[in-house]
Amino acid sequence: MADTTQTSPTSAATLSPSTPNTTDLDLSLPNLSNLTPLVSIKLDRLNYVLWESQMLLIFHAHNLYRYLDPLVPVPTPQILNSETNTLEPNPSYTHWYRVDQILLSWINATLTPPIFATVVGLRTARAVWAKLTATFASESTARALQLRFELQTIQKDNLSVTEYLNKIKLIVDSLASASCLLTDMEVVSNTLRGLGPDYDSFVTAIMTRSDLPSFSDLHGLLLHQEARIEYSYQRQLNSNPTSAFVARQQPQHNNHQSPNRSQSHRGGRGGRGGFRGGRGSRGGRGTPPPNKESCILTNGYRANE
């Protein structure tokens, strides 16, 4: 009869809660060669949360997390045969142990050498998983505090908008990998704070909005503002090239002209010095005036033509 082939509540109760049922025992064991390519990163000191997230997805997808879960009891190595009243090897434990050793080999294969050195000697996948969880819990907290400080003190300086925002996104992603998720408001406000004086009017306009833009929307707005600032600079450069030239050459001009200036003030009775291009140039003892190029650099117009 078909009903007699089903597991009765009584027979099911005799099994351990962690013991795989008959169907589980018939399933093939996980293949290490099939699992390893699914892990794109190896665990190091900085990427634990990313590594853990990737591993948990695989464990749950293949119904393997029960072998790591501390809440699931491990089958006993032996069971009592009710007919002979003797202890016999437990098939469920044999199956559990084989799967556990495969998982142990697989987890160890995803560790970098410095991390693997911290779990050498642990004999089960569950023990290794628990050790890694405990080790990186405190380190993740310290890392999150460091990253938060970096975000709160970041400055754009001479970076382009894209470089600046990429730097911020790297910090935000690293915080997420340390289980520290930030709101868009936190990210946007820190981004605006570090822009610098060139963006003061832009920051004021954004902060007076009823709702702050998202970080992704802010990227586009900042690119537009960066283009406006560059356009304004180019217009100023084209309208007054001499001033721009003077500004760029000012350090060289000061160093070059200081001896001439002191000489002109020591000139004789012939005039008031050579910089005005007047009486001093014809007075005899006065120092000759600077050349025309120097006059252009000094005053911004031709003084001796």
Side-chain angles (χ1 to χ4, degrees):
M1 292 183 293
D3 290 343
T4 59
T5 61
Q6 297 179 356
T7 303
S8 65
T10 302
S11 61
T14 62
L15 298 175
S16 169
S18 63
T19 303
N21 58 32
T22 304
T23 304
D24 289 331
L25 293 175
D26 292 337
L27 293 175
S28 61
L29 295 171
N31 190 329
L32 182 64
S33 62
N34 291 338
L35 294 177
T36 301
L38 299 177
V39 183
S40 60
I41 58 175
K42 288 194 172 187
L43 177 62
D44 58 29
R45 291 291 180 187
L46 301 177
N47 63 357
Y48 171 72
V49 176
L50 291 176
W51 175 87
E52 180 195 39
S53 301
Q54 189 171 233
M55 298 289 280
L56 285 176
L57 286 174
I58 299 171
F59 289 147
H60 288 302
H62 292 82
N63 195 27
L64 296 173
Y65 183 70
R66 55 186 170 149
Y67 295 94
L68 307 176
D69 190 348
L71 300 179
V72 178
V74 177
T76 58
Q78 295 178 315
I79 56 175
L80 180 65
N81 188 323
S82 59
E83 295 180 356
T84 64
N85 201 30
T86 58
L87 293 175
E88 297 179 351
N90 185 353
S92 296
Y93 176 81
T94 302
H95 179 82
W96 176 90
Y97 182 75
R98 293 179 65 189
V99 174
D100 174 80
Q101 293 303 291
I102 291 174
L103 288 180
L104 176 61
S105 299
W106 182 52
I107 292 173
N108 288 341
T110 66
L111 308 179
T112 56
I115 303 301
F116 176 67
T118 66
V119 297
V120 169
L122 299 180
R123 302 303 183 187
T124 66
R126 182 176 295 191
V128 169
W129 187 261
K131 171 68 173 179
L132 294 174
T133 300
T135 298
F136 284 96
S138 58
E139 292 188 9
S140 295
T141 301
R143 175 67 174 159
L145 291 174
Q146 176 190 353
L147 290 169
R148 273 188 172 275
F149 178 77
E150 290 181 12
L151 181 63
Q152 292 166 358
T153 57
I154 193 169
Q155 297 290 328
K156 179 180 178 295
D157 294 329
N158 294 325
L159 297 175
S160 67
V161 162
T162 298
E163 291 171 337
Y164 176 59
L165 295 185
N166 284 344
K167 189 174 180 181
I168 290 176
K169 188 176 186 304
L170 180 61
I171 295 176
V172 173
D173 290 345
S174 297
L175 280 167
S177 72
S179 299
C180 184
L181 300 179
L182 301 179
T183 65
D184 237 15
M185 179 178 294
E186 289 179 275
V187 179
V188 169
S189 60
N190 280 291
T191 302
L192 295 175
R193 177 201 47 73
L195 285 173
D198 286 345
Y199 291 81
D200 281 350
S201 59
F202 173 83
V203 172
T204 301
I206 295 296
M207 296 299 290
T208 54
R209 290 186 175 190
S210 56
D211 294 318
L212 288 177
S214 65
F215 183 70
S216 57
D217 291 339
L218 183 65
H219 191 175
L221 295 173
L222 279 173
L223 287 175
H224 179 69
Q225 183 66 16
E226 182 182 46
R228 288 175 58 89
I229 292 174
E230 180 63 23
Y231 175 73
S232 176
Y233 171 75
Q234 290 297 333
R235 284 189 60 186
Q236 180 181 3
L237 182 64
N238 294 334
S239 62
N240 196 355
T242 303
S243 297
F245 180 77
V246 170
R248 293 183 179 182
Q249 299 294 327
Q250 192 66 37
Q252 298 177 5
H253 155 65
N254 289 338
N255 294 335
H256 176 71
Q257 291 297 330
S258 56
N260 289 341
R261 184 170 300 185
S262 61
Q263 290 175 9
S264 64
H265 285 294
R266 291 196 305 267
R269 304 173 184 173
R272 302 179 183 175
F275 285 98
R276 296 192 180 181
R279 302 172 220 172
S281 63
R282 296 191 298 269
R285 297 186 185 179
T287 302
N291 58 37
K292 296 180 180 180
E293 182 181 1
S294 299
C295 290
I296 294 174
L297 291 177
T298 305
N299 302 310
Y301 61 90
R302 296 183 180 274
N304 185 25
E305 293 188 290

